[in-house]
Amino acid sequence: MISLTKNEINGTEVVEVTNSQDNPYDVEKCTCWIRTNNLKQVCLQFPDNLLPDSVKIALRLEKNLGQKVYILGDTTCGSCCVDEVTAQHINADGIIHFGHACLSPTTRFPVFHVLPRKQLNLTAFCDEFKRVFSDHCKKILFFYDVAYAHEIEYVYNTLKPVYKHLILSKLNCTSNVEYTDANVNPASVISGRSYALENGYNVQDYDGFFLGETEKTFTLLAMSIPAKKWYCFANDKVSEFDALNTPWLKRRRYLIEKLKDAKVVGIVVATLGIQEYLTAINTVKRILKQKNKKSYLFSVGKINPAKLANFPEIDAFVVIACPENEVFDSRDFFKPMLTVYEVELAFNSAREFCPQYFMDFRQILPGGTNYIDFQPSINLDVSLVTSSVRNCEDDALCTDQMNALAVRSSGTVAIGKAGAQYLQERSWKGVEQKLGENSAQPAETGRSGLAWEYTNEPLKTNKQVE
């Protein structure tokens, strides 16, 4: 018997086909993967909306395997990324990730992705595709959302006889769908996808196409891959999309100017599992040091405005995160939130604005497809935000040792650290010790009880004088 199961993935209804002996989580394939790799400590990672089903899936796996499995109840940074840090708490040797995935490459454990399945009217889609791409000799790069991976082999076999120059990308992962490839050089993977062009052609000769909504994944691909034109299939219609002429990109350029003006920069670590995240951190630290800017390293788990508002001395934050992290789209943060690529745009004179925009920091690191040697900009320029002169060495205040002193222009001496400077200049500095100024007092019992009415406060009464 065939049945349909509906789930909500990122606000989108996902219909998954399964028979009565199985379920939409492909428990049998998960069991086979665990046995094939001889894994003993396996963690199951679910997004928040799928957690209600997690216990049922874990019990089925334990019954099939005859061993215990573990559920990751809360992710360290984001649900689309594999949470290797939490899995290490039980010395795990494998992770099964359920739901939407950014497919960022990891290093510590083998990972099995159980991808969602979104319903697609295959006949209507193929007809619409042929209507828009009437030229059958056109060169097309075909990408797709992970929710359509279970249908993609049928789509490709239908379109390939018609379009001789159709190139289909593959997901770079091991998953419950068959049409994937996990043995690709990570340096050539973009947003978890890889492709191989025909001999004699480059990517600028192709039109890009994405099967899915105009959401984060598609925008990242359209900004990273310099195809001639980009198209997407949304609301049962193929439409053209211009990723480089959007209000979002204009705002990013404004934030780059804010970063150039910043004196104190916070480096926020929002991933502990993506390959080369440590290289990205060290690269940002080195660039900021060469530009005489103070930097602090933060690891706060899942990022939100309230956490980062605790550090008012920071002028701008650089976030080391998954490319699909929503922090770069939010306007709720009190200070600018920038990427590793934007740090290079701000301070690397060898890198210029181009038709591409790289949200995946691995693309611009040494060994990446778009790496450029760092050349610090030394010429004076004028801030487009404050109209002040930048790159003026007389204003630089940079020390490498915690015990080093720096003389400020006002004649006062302070420790050459940004946090101490900020506290010195602030009008309110908190509780002061005043050692030797107050006489010693005996210890007293503090308040007790509930916050709305402590035990040392007068009792309230609703009685009224008659």
Side-chain angles (χ1 to χ4, degrees):
M1 177 182 292
I2 300 298
S3 61
L4 296 180
T5 304
K6 295 183 179 181
N7 286 307
E8 290 292 322
I9 306 293
N10 294 331
T12 304
E13 183 180 83
V14 177
V15 180
E16 297 166 298
V17 182
T18 178
N19 58 49
S20 59
Q21 303 299 321
D22 203 356
N23 59 32
Y25 298 97
D26 280 331
V27 174
E28 297 303 327
K29 289 186 178 180
C30 294
T31 303
C32 181
W33 178 76
I34 294 172
R35 287 174 174 167
T36 301
N37 291 275
N38 194 27
L39 304 177
K40 302 301 180 183
Q41 298 278 94
V42 179
C43 288
L44 311 181
Q45 180 180 339
F46 295 85
D48 292 343
N49 61 308
L50 297 181
L51 276 175
D53 295 336
S54 60
V55 175
K56 178 181 64 176
I57 302 306
L59 292 175
R60 286 198 59 186
L61 278 173
E62 290 181 352
K63 181 179 179 181
N64 292 350
L65 295 168
Q67 67 185 50
K68 190 175 184 62
V69 297
Y70 300 84
I71 298 172
L72 303 182
D74 188 20
T75 54
T76 303
C77 297
S79 59
C80 69
C81 300
V82 176
D83 191 358
E84 294 183 320
V85 175
T86 304
Q88 283 184 306
H89 292 169
I90 59 144
N91 296 320
D93 54 7
I95 299 177
I96 299 178
H97 182 281
F98 295 86
H100 177 75
C102 61
L103 303 181
S104 297
T106 56
T107 56
R108 297 181 179 94
F109 308 121
V111 178
F112 186 78
H113 287 277
V114 178
L115 302 176
R117 296 177 179 177
K118 189 173 181 180
Q119 190 178 34
L120 175 67
N121 188 327
L122 297 172
T123 302
F125 165 72
C126 292
D127 291 343
E128 175 67 7
F129 188 92
K130 294 175 183 178
R131 182 190 67 81
V132 174
F133 298 101
S134 56
D135 182 3
H136 294 172
C137 296
K138 184 179 289 291
K139 301 175 182 64
I140 303 171
L141 266 177
F142 194 107
F143 297 88
Y144 50 94
D145 188 82
V146 294
Y148 293 117
H150 67 291
E151 299 278 17
I152 203 62
E153 189 169 5
Y154 175 85
V155 172
Y156 179 70
N157 291 335
T158 303
L159 296 177
K160 181 60 177 177
V162 180
Y163 299 90
K164 303 300 182 182
H165 299 289
L166 178 68
I167 303 298
L168 180 66
S169 65
K170 289 188 177 182
L171 303 182
N172 185 236
C173 66
T174 301
S175 75
N176 60 324
V177 298
E178 303 299 332
Y179 210 75
T180 59
D181 186 1
N183 299 318
V184 180
N185 181 7
S188 63
V189 176
I190 300 176
S191 295
R193 291 154 176 84
S194 61
Y195 56 88
L197 300 179
E198 298 171 298
N199 293 332
Y201 297 103
N202 55 44
V203 70
Q204 290 83 2
D205 298 324
Y206 288 81
D207 286 339
F209 177 82
F210 184 78
L211 173 57
E213 303 294 329
T214 53
E215 295 180 351
K216 192 70 175 180
T217 303
F218 171 51
T219 304
L220 292 174
L221 288 170
M223 290 192 301
S224 302
I225 301 175
K228 287 194 299 184
K229 292 182 179 180
W230 272 98
Y231 300 84
C232 68
F233 179 77
N235 300 321
D236 299 327
K237 184 179 180 181
V238 175
S239 57
E240 188 175 345
F241 180 78
D242 185 3
L244 299 178
N245 188 22
T246 61
W248 181 88
L249 193 58
K250 296 177 182 178
R251 182 171 181 268
R252 302 311 302 177
R253 297 190 176 185
Y254 165 75
L255 295 181
I256 292 174
E257 288 297 317
K258 297 284 287 185
L259 176 62
K260 291 180 180 180
D261 292 337
K263 297 183 182 300
V264 186
V265 180
I267 304 173
V268 184
V269 183
T271 177
L272 296 173
I274 299 178
Q275 283 183 4
E276 299 189 59
Y277 78 95
L278 290 176
T279 304
I281 295 173
N282 292 329
T283 298
V284 173
K285 289 173 63 177
R286 174 175 52 81
I287 292 175
L288 294 176
K289 184 176 180 180
Q290 291 186 10
K291 296 300 296 181
N292 288 329
K293 295 184 182 294
K294 299 290 184 181
S295 65
Y296 289 90
L297 192 63
F298 298 94
S299 181
V300 295
K302 290 182 180 179
I303 303 175
N304 61 51
K307 289 181 180 179
L308 298 187
N310 291 317
F311 309 100
E313 64 269 31
I314 304 299
D315 298 321
F317 291 96
V318 177
V319 184
I320 312 297
C322 155
E324 296 190 15
N325 197 306
E326 297 179 353
V327 67
F328 303 113
D329 301 326
S330 174
R331 292 177 177 265
D332 296 332
F333 292 89
F334 297 96
K335 298 296 174 66
M337 310 293 287
L338 297 114
T339 67
V340 179
Y341 175 62
E342 289 163 342
V343 173
E344 284 226 339
L345 285 178
F347 303 123
N348 188 354
S349 60
R351 187 179 293 278
E352 300 178 353
F353 280 100
C354 65
Q356 297 171 266
Y357 210 83
F358 310 108
M359 298 296 291
D360 187 347
F361 56 77
R362 296 179 305 108
Q363 293 179 259
I364 61 171
L365 295 179
T369 54
N370 293 279
Y371 171 73
I372 296 178
D373 289 333
F374 180 76
Q375 298 180 11
S377 55
I378 58 176
N379 297 328
L380 296 178
D381 70 333
V382 178
S383 169
L384 300 179
V385 178
T386 64
S387 299
S388 60
V389 179
R390 291 190 295 235
N391 291 334
C392 183
E393 296 300 328
D394 293 338
D395 295 335
L397 182 63
C398 183
T399 59
D400 294 330
Q401 303 296 327
M402 192 65 184
N403 58 356
L405 299 179
V407 180
R408 300 178 62 81
S409 58
S410 61
T412 61
V413 179
I415 296 176
K417 286 292 178 180
Q421 295 166 13
Y422 177 83
L423 292 176
Q424 184 181 10
E425 296 171 355
R426 193 170 64 180
S427 60
W428 179 82
K429 297 181 175 62
V431 179
E432 300 179 15
Q433 294 183 5
K434 295 184 178 181
L435 297 177
E437 299 181 20
N438 299 326
S439 58
Q441 299 290 332
E444 299 179 358
T445 303
R447 288 181 174 182
S448 62
L450 299 177
W452 71 280
E453 186 176 26
Y454 293 103
T455 55
N456 61 339
E457 293 180 341
L459 296 177
K460 295 180 181 180
T461 177
N462 294 327
K463 295 182 180 180
Q464 298 188 5
V465 180
E466 296 182 356

